[in-house]
Amino acid sequence: MRTHSIESLKEQRRKGTIETEVPFIFNGKQETVPKKIVNGEMEIIDIDKPFGEMMTSETSRKELVQKVVLDVELGREEVPVLYKPIYETLTDPNFPKEFEAKWAQRGTVIFFEHLEGEEVKFGSLQAESGPIARLKGYAAGFEYTKEMEIFNQMFNFEMLNKAFGEAHNALLNHLHLGPIIQYGYKAANKTAPVYVKPDGNTGTQADAHYMLSLRGTLRKALKDTRTAKRPGTILLANSADKEDIQEALGSMTLQATPYGATAGITDIIYYDGWETDVARKSYAYEGVPQGKAYLIRPKRGFKELVKQGLQINSTIGDLSRLVQAQIVGDFWRGVFAAVEENVQEITLPGQ
């Protein structure tokens, strides 16, 4: 099975060469700057001029914005998005502001034996039930001050750019994984701990074998989703439970009794949330609680709606506040998550 975590995805990006074009807005026109990563090292723009000189001509300002864009991308590399195995991505600049739940539909067709004179049975579109998807705009900005210019504080400049990129991807993870973690599940969508004694019989927490119990709980969750006709294949969990989960899903031998590996889970995503401080105020996105996990049927009821990806725009600053330039980034997107139809909440056994 494939595992997805911040560290594992960063490790994958350290292999081979990745080349893309990153868009940005300059003087009202869309431009692009090449982004290249070779064996985990990303090429960035080094500026050898004083910061103030970069604001004196259009060519220099454009070079400065290109550096901003690549620095932001460097920050995004530090916080990879984790939700891609769960969601289908739909991109369209013409998306409306709101979607009815019926838009998340799929074709259903079945072939029947045709008897002479009978009408052909036609397929239809079936929709997932769930919340209305609303597209929203998100924006953030930062300012380059005269103090940065006269003291040539390029290191502060680069730190702000990188933090901008980290915050963008952290929000994406929260927008897409938060609905799964924060949902109030009904009894039919919950799997309680299964306790198994060392001899393989059902027990209690007091006399159970932890690894056999964890194995039994995950297998029970798989069975629950299949019985409910929403078979889960992706497990969302806390990284503190990583070693135990992966050991429980593998084969093991206990008291001369072999236990086979558990099949059916193709991907495990480990998400612990994210937090930061801005202007002395703390912000945090909730991760999967330790001891909980979520078994998910992907794609069908999970849609990532992108109207506009992140765009960086540079403007002249505010002289009255000695701000030399402002950088603003915005993006417009929505999330459709039919959680109840596609997710099983699992409470892992205690030790």
Side-chain angles (χ1 to χ4, degrees):
M1 68 189 71
R2 297 175 292 269
T3 60
H4 310 266
S5 66
I6 296 293
E7 292 307 317
S8 69
L9 292 179
K10 287 168 66 174
E11 180 62 30
Q12 290 176 18
R13 302 285 282 185
R14 297 186 186 109
K15 302 172 183 176
T17 300
I18 301 169
E19 295 185 68
T20 57
E21 293 288 328
V22 184
F24 65 96
I25 303 296
F26 182 73
N27 285 347
K29 294 174 55 180
Q30 181 161 307
E31 307 275 356
T32 62
V33 60
K35 172 184 174 182
K36 186 174 182 179
I37 303 174
V38 180
N39 296 326
E41 294 294 325
M42 183 173 146
E43 296 181 0
I44 60 174
I45 297 175
D46 289 321
I47 294 179
D48 55 6
K49 302 176 185 176
F51 184 82
E53 288 185 22
M54 300 300 296
M55 307 302 296
T56 58
S57 71
E58 184 170 316
T59 301
S60 294
R61 284 182 56 236
K62 183 175 180 179
E63 184 181 356
L64 184 67
V65 176
Q66 288 175 327
K67 174 175 175 55
V68 170
V69 172
L70 290 183
D71 286 348
V72 168
E73 288 297 308
L74 188 61
R76 295 180 70 177
E77 292 292 327
E78 288 296 311
V79 185
V81 292
L82 298 170
Y83 58 86
K84 291 293 185 179
I86 300 172
Y87 283 81
E88 178 185 4
T89 300
L90 304 176
T91 303
D92 189 340
N94 298 312
F95 276 148
K97 190 171 184 178
E98 291 188 354
F99 286 96
E100 296 289 344
K102 66 183 180 182
W103 75 271
Q105 54 193 13
R106 64 189 187 280
T108 56
V109 176
I110 187 169
F111 282 86
F112 293 94
E113 179 185 1
H114 183 261
L115 301 178
E116 185 176 358
E118 276 196 350
E119 183 179 352
V120 173
K121 303 296 191 295
F122 290 91
S124 63
L125 293 174
Q126 289 189 2
E128 295 287 310
S129 63
I132 292 175
R134 292 181 174 87
L135 271 67
K136 298 180 180 180
Y138 300 87
F142 43 91
E143 298 173 327
Y144 302 132
T145 64
K146 186 169 184 178
E147 182 178 349
M148 288 184 181
E149 175 187 339
I150 63 177
F151 293 108
N152 199 28
Q153 295 177 331
M154 187 59 69
F155 62 92
N156 284 342
F157 172 87
E158 293 174 345
M159 286 173 59
L160 281 170
N161 296 339
K162 185 178 177 183
F164 195 94
E166 292 175 354
H168 172 267
N169 277 17
L171 177 58
L172 292 190
N173 282 330
H174 173 66
L175 290 176
H176 294 84
L177 299 178
I180 298 170
I181 297 167
Q182 298 165 359
Y183 191 78
Y185 291 89
K186 297 179 180 178
N189 293 79
K190 292 183 177 183
T191 297
V194 174
Y195 290 103
V196 182
K197 294 191 293 187
D199 61 7
N201 293 318
T202 302
T204 64
Q205 183 173 355
D207 60 9
H209 185 279
Y210 173 64
M211 202 53 63
L212 285 181
S213 299
L214 182 53
R215 176 181 183 272
T217 302
L218 294 172
R219 288 192 163 213
K220 179 64 165 56
L222 282 164
K223 182 178 180 180
D224 289 344
T225 64
R226 292 165 184 167
T227 301
K229 301 192 184 317
R230 43 178 171 80
T233 58
I234 295 179
L235 192 69
L236 177 64
N238 186 292
S239 65
D241 297 313
K242 177 179 179 180
E243 286 72 20
D244 290 344
I245 288 173
Q246 294 184 187
E247 185 177 346
L249 290 174
S251 58
M252 67 181 78
T253 301
L254 184 66
Q255 295 185 354
T257 301
Y259 294 89
T262 298
I265 296 176
T266 61
D267 297 79
I268 305 179
I269 299 172
Y270 296 104
Y271 177 59
D272 300 340
W274 186 79
E275 58 184 32
T276 191
D277 293 325
V278 179
R280 298 182 182 178
K281 185 175 181 180
S282 296
Y283 296 86
Y285 299 143
E286 180 184 358
V288 178
Q290 186 177 358
K292 290 282 187 181
Y294 302 89
L295 188 57
I296 302 161
R297 178 175 64 171
K299 305 296 184 181
R300 179 181 293 182
F302 295 96
K303 311 295 180 183
E304 175 188 25
L305 309 170
V306 183
K307 186 175 181 71
Q308 176 201 293
L310 178 63
Q311 282 189 353
I312 305 295
N313 197 347
S314 171
T315 63
I316 298 299
D318 181 354
L319 182 61
S320 67
R321 296 186 296 115
L322 297 182
V323 174
Q324 301 297 91
Q326 293 178 325
I327 300 293
V328 174
D330 70 299
F331 57 94
W332 297 78
R333 56 168 62 232
V335 174
F336 178 87
V339 176
E340 188 172 327
E341 289 189 316
N342 296 286
V343 181
Q344 191 78 9
E345 182 187 59
I346 307 168
T347 301
L348 303 179
Q351 298 192 52

